[in-house]
Amino acid sequence: MVSLVQNVAIDCADAYGLARFWSAVTDRPVDPDSGPGDRETQVTLADGLVLYFNQVPEAKTVKNRVHLCLRPDTARDPEVDRLLALGATLVADRRNADGTGWAVLADPEGNEFCVLRGAAERAATTG
């Protein structure tokens, strides 16, 4: 017997707004049956995993204990720049001079996530 991951639930103040951010990050649509003001919505990723956004009354106050790690289909640094332009903020820069490492960003509601190196970058370095 095993359990399968149904979705990744993300508590937030604005479910539709945050879903729109993650929709832009992943290039996947927000659930077409939802709209501004909805208390919950979702974005289904290409592999079928669902990012589920649930409006809650309390604000985020501490560091995430679970977070998403993104591996761009291109290179890490241009993806970090793209995500910052979408509204993310840089939380911690763990990138190294030799090209290894990652960047810790936060979405518009402060939820941390990491941007890792792309596959070609990983193949080019050993770190």
Side-chain angles (χ1 to χ4, degrees):
M1 189 180 306
V2 299
S3 294
L4 301 176
V5 174
Q6 172 67 36
N7 61 46
V8 176
I10 301 169
D11 291 348
C12 53
D14 177 3
Y16 186 75
L18 197 57
R20 287 189 48 168
F21 170 81
W22 283 101
S23 171
V25 168
T26 61
D27 195 30
R28 300 295 299 172
V30 175
D31 179 5
D33 293 331
S34 63
D38 285 355
R39 298 180 56 80
E40 55 187 53
T41 190
Q42 63 188 36
V43 173
T44 302
L45 304 179
D47 65 1
L49 184 65
V50 172
L51 298 180
Y52 172 80
F53 302 91
N54 182 46
Q55 183 175 324
V56 297
E58 65 276 355
K60 180 184 176 300
T61 57
V62 297
K63 181 182 181 298
N64 297 15
R65 295 295 298 242
V66 175
H67 65 267
L68 302 176
C69 290
L70 307 179
R71 182 160 323 277
D73 61 2
T74 57
R76 177 197 58 216
D77 294 346
E79 181 65 357
V80 168
D81 292 342
R82 183 180 81 87
L83 299 176
L84 292 172
L86 289 174
T89 55
L90 183 64
V91 173
D93 196 339
R94 306 278 189 239
R95 295 175 282 188
N96 302 311
D98 66 358
T100 60
W102 63 93
V104 181
L105 278 63
D107 70 20
E109 291 205 14
N111 301 298
E112 298 93 0
F113 62 96
C114 295
V115 182
L116 310 175
R117 295 177 294 155
E121 292 173 302
R122 287 176 49 87
T125 61
T126 58

